[in-house]
Amino acid sequence: MKKVLVFGGTTEGRKIAETLSDNNIFVHVSVATDYGRQVMEEKENLKILEGRLDAASMQLLHEKNGYDAVIDATHPFATAVSENIKQSFAGTVPLIRFERNVQNGETEESGKFLAAAQTEESSDKTAEESDEKPGQILYADSAEQCRELLLQTQGRILLTTGSKDLNVFCKDDFLKERIVARVLPGLESISLCRENKLEGRQIIAMQGPFSKKMNIAQIEDYGISVLVTKESGKTGGTDTKIQAAVEKGIKCIVIKNPSLHKADSSSDKNCITVNSFDKFYTCLESILGVRINTAADICVNLIGIGMGSAKNMTVEAAEKISNADVIFGAERMLSGINAKAEKYPYYLAKDIVPLLNDFIKSGRSLENVCVLFSGDTGFFSGAAKLSEELRSLGQISMKILPGISAMSYLAAKTGINYQDAVIISLHGTEENVWKPKLSASLAEGRKIFLLTSGVKDVHKVGKQVWECNKSADLHYRMATGFQLSYENENVRIIDPEDCLSFTEEGLYSILLWTE
């Protein structure tokens, strides 16, 4: 039997260890604390080693057990441990470093502010340059530099960097008295809080990662003015912390991930570095000379159900839904589904992914999980965001089923082809973004398809097209599709000015063309 040593009580380390154990590969998992042991279950082929190991202890462990490979899946900030692992095993046994992809799945909002923070070069700011600004995000190269930035702030601090560096932040009474430390609910974490003389009201002992809603609640409950986090990626909850800080308009200080900002080490012959499960298992299979089955325990189908009527759904989609184990979707979609599946009124990734993770942790094997999206999964659909998130999870396979989009439906109803149409979405888009694009397309006499957020958008578009018709040597006609595929569907071909009299609120799509 092949033997592998995995370092790390991280989410990635646990997933790797459990998959290898299920493939009849013996795994030793080295965790630093009692909490690392608590969150992992031993199996016949999976044994847990608790306690911190120095380089000599690591070497003795290998001499005793003769591992075929060593995996470094420790936390991105555990740089000293990673260096010890490399020094202990390099050249004696194949070593793979699984490096968390901290930028995978970042939301548009947090990604935007992260990018802005990176350009600020906060580490070069003086005290005068670092005056507090609501919602400001700063980067620090280390806990020590973060401490210096905190000394220039006022108000209560939510410290979400764990217990390891508490001594750095608690050496100054000015900071210590303002800190609320959120740490893991393990004995070692609580003990370190006590050693640094934090009082009970200053300690939040909870397992993360946390949703944006939970972060906001704690910011509000504790009157937080500054949030401190590490650049640990979605797995570490960095995105939802930043989103919460931005939404509440408080300062956020992010301690940089050393693995992202170090010199390129991909050419290191003593350690292979990978940042995805697919690459990891391909590499390990080559080292061990065995096939590792990573077949998913849960199969998720992202299904476009068309405009709303069951008549417009593909046969494959209908079959998947009728035989589903679990169905996710907006309430209006679920209300028309008669399948005997568990139903959850969720359609956003932030709500669905935690439930899928709970299913995995509970050992559930689900062959058919369906997530319903209106229209087509490839056309302004939430399926794009969810599919991105699911690709980063282990034990999940995914299939995307297309549906009929509003554009193809309206084009068919009016007999107008749409292959040469400019597509513009007003839904969730600022007017100063979509309006210039519409103006440019109208000036060129292009065929245009628009998705709207309601009747007010229809008025705005109608007025703009009407003005274009009056000022240019063009005559645009307009097709409006209201509540497409529903019982109260109404498709009209009109002159643009006629839509200014529309009053009924609902879902509208628009197709524009010249005559």
Side-chain angles (χ1 to χ4, degrees):
M1 179 182 291
K2 299 292 184 180
K3 293 182 181 180
V4 173
L5 172 61
V6 177
F7 285 93
T10 57
T11 301
E12 296 88 351
R14 291 195 295 273
K15 286 181 179 179
I16 289 169
E18 289 166 359
T19 298
L20 297 183
S21 174
D22 291 342
N23 278 268
N24 200 34
I25 295 171
F26 183 84
V27 185
H28 265 149
V29 185
S30 176
V31 298
T33 66
D34 66 309
Y35 187 74
R37 173 183 285 277
Q38 291 174 31
V39 295
M40 190 178 302
E41 183 180 348
E42 285 198 339
K43 302 179 181 180
E44 183 179 353
N45 294 330
L46 192 160
K47 303 302 177 185
I48 301 171
L49 308 174
E50 181 186 335
R52 289 184 169 81
L53 302 175
D54 58 19
S57 299
M58 292 178 185
Q59 292 170 353
L60 287 173
L61 195 60
H62 176 47
E63 290 173 6
K64 179 180 178 181
N65 294 284
Y67 298 111
D68 297 290
V70 174
I71 314 302
D72 176 8
T74 56
H75 193 276
F77 283 78
T79 52
V81 177
S82 288
E83 189 58 33
N84 265 349
I85 293 170
K86 186 182 292 186
Q87 294 299 324
S88 300
F89 298 105
T92 61
V93 60
L95 174 60
I96 304 175
R97 165 65 181 168
F98 189 98
E99 202 158 85
R100 181 180 297 174
N101 185 355
V102 304
Q103 293 176 326
N104 182 43
E106 292 286 3
T107 65
E108 182 178 344
E109 179 184 37
S110 63
K112 176 177 67 176
F113 282 96
L114 280 169
Q118 286 176 313
T119 61
E120 286 194 27
E121 294 296 331
S122 62
S123 59
D124 296 328
K125 287 183 177 289
T126 65
E128 290 75 22
E129 292 174 317
S130 296
D131 292 338
E132 288 192 61
K133 299 175 184 177
Q136 184 184 16
I137 301 176
L138 299 175
Y139 264 45
D141 290 327
S142 63
E144 289 75 13
Q145 191 175 72
C146 177
R147 170 180 159 275
E148 294 301 317
L149 289 172
L150 286 172
L151 288 170
Q152 301 169 33
T153 67
Q154 300 291 328
R156 195 163 291 176
I157 302 162
L158 180 58
L159 194 66
T160 69
T161 55
S163 57
K164 180 182 175 184
D165 295 319
L166 277 176
N167 62 315
V168 175
F169 300 103
C170 292
K171 65 174 65 174
D172 298 285
D173 288 340
F174 173 65
L175 288 186
K176 183 174 67 176
E177 293 170 359
R178 297 161 52 202
I179 285 173
V180 175
R182 194 167 74 190
V183 299
L184 290 172
L187 292 176
E188 183 178 53
S189 297
I190 302 299
S191 296
L192 285 170
C193 287
R194 293 299 190 188
E195 285 177 18
N196 285 281
K197 295 182 171 50
L198 293 178
E199 299 179 3
R201 62 183 177 82
Q202 294 179 277
I203 304 169
I204 302 174
M206 296 178 69
Q207 168 69 47
F210 302 92
S211 66
K212 181 178 78 169
K213 184 177 180 180
M214 174 64 83
N215 285 315
I216 288 175
Q218 292 182 353
I219 289 170
E220 293 175 343
D221 288 348
Y222 287 86
I224 300 300
S225 299
V226 188
L227 186 150
V228 180
T229 182
K230 289 180 177 178
E231 192 181 15
S232 301
K234 184 170 289 293
T235 305
T238 302
D239 58 338
T240 54
K241 295 177 197 176
I242 292 173
Q243 291 168 40
V246 168
E247 185 162 320
K248 295 304 298 180
I250 66 171
K251 185 186 290 290
C252 182
I253 302 177
V254 184
I255 301 175
K256 293 179 182 179
N257 185 330
S259 64
L260 285 181
H261 305 280
K262 66 185 179 182
D264 180 30
S265 60
S266 57
S267 61
D268 190 342
K269 297 179 180 179
N270 295 320
C271 179
I272 303 168
T273 300
V274 296
N275 61 5
S276 75
F277 285 105
D278 287 345
K279 291 178 182 177
F280 170 78
Y281 289 117
T282 298
C283 180
L284 190 58
E285 283 179 339
S286 176
I287 290 171
L288 299 181
V290 299
R291 179 80 174 91
I292 299 174
N293 180 16
T294 58
D297 295 327
I298 296 178
C299 179
V300 179
N301 299 286
L302 309 186
I303 301 176
I305 64 170
M307 297 299 92
S309 171
K311 294 179 181 179
N312 303 129
M313 198 182 302
T314 67
V315 173
E316 184 180 14
E319 288 178 349
K320 288 289 186 184
I321 293 170
S322 64
N323 296 306
D325 301 306
V326 176
I327 302 178
F328 294 96
E331 289 188 12
R332 65 180 176 84
M333 299 179 189
L334 297 179
S335 62
I337 302 295
N338 296 318
K340 297 179 181 179
E342 295 175 30
K343 298 177 185 177
Y344 297 90
Y346 305 134
Y347 55 92
L348 297 177
K350 69 180 182 65
D351 298 315
I352 294 173
V353 170
L355 268 175
L356 293 177
N357 271 322
D358 288 343
F359 293 158
I360 292 171
K361 291 175 183 176
S362 66
R364 292 187 66 179
S365 181
L366 300 170
E367 296 181 0
N368 185 4
V369 174
C370 295
V371 186
L372 311 184
F373 298 93
S374 61
D376 177 48
T377 46
F379 188 74
F380 295 100
S381 173
K385 171 63 178 173
L386 182 56
S387 64
E388 179 185 347
E389 299 241 10
L390 294 181
R391 288 189 181 99
S392 67
L393 299 178
Q395 295 179 269
I396 286 183
S397 65
M398 178 178 59
K399 186 173 183 179
I400 301 176
L401 280 65
I404 298 175
S405 69
M407 182 166 67
S408 60
Y409 188 99
L410 183 58
K413 283 286 183 176
T414 58
I416 301 169
N417 64 61
Y418 61 89
Q419 69 262 22
D420 55 344
V422 174
I423 303 169
I424 302 175
S425 176
L426 281 63
H427 186 65
T429 306
E430 296 293 334
E431 188 171 338
N432 61 0
V433 175
W434 66 258
K435 196 169 184 178
K437 186 174 182 181
L438 176 57
S439 295
S441 300
L442 290 171
E444 295 174 2
R446 299 289 300 277
K447 188 181 296 179
I448 308 165
F449 177 83
L450 300 105
L451 286 170
T452 76
S453 296
V455 71
K456 289 183 178 180
D457 283 349
V458 179
H459 293 165
K460 292 176 182 178
V461 171
K463 184 177 180 181
Q464 190 170 348
V465 180
W466 183 24
E467 291 173 350
C468 173
N469 279 350
K470 290 191 297 182
S471 62
D473 188 22
L474 295 169
H475 184 249
Y476 265 99
R477 298 298 306 281
M478 173 185 285
T480 61
F482 174 73
Q483 297 293 102
L484 295 178
S485 88
Y486 290 92
E487 291 183 2
N488 58 338
E489 171 184 294
N490 192 353
V491 175
R492 288 180 274 187
I493 297 178
I494 58 176
D495 287 318
E497 58 268 31
D498 295 336
C499 75
L500 299 178
S501 62
F502 288 9
T503 58
E504 194 169 6
E505 191 57 74
L507 301 172
Y508 286 90
S509 299
I510 298 173
L511 187 59
L512 301 169
W513 72 99
T514 58
E515 289 188 342

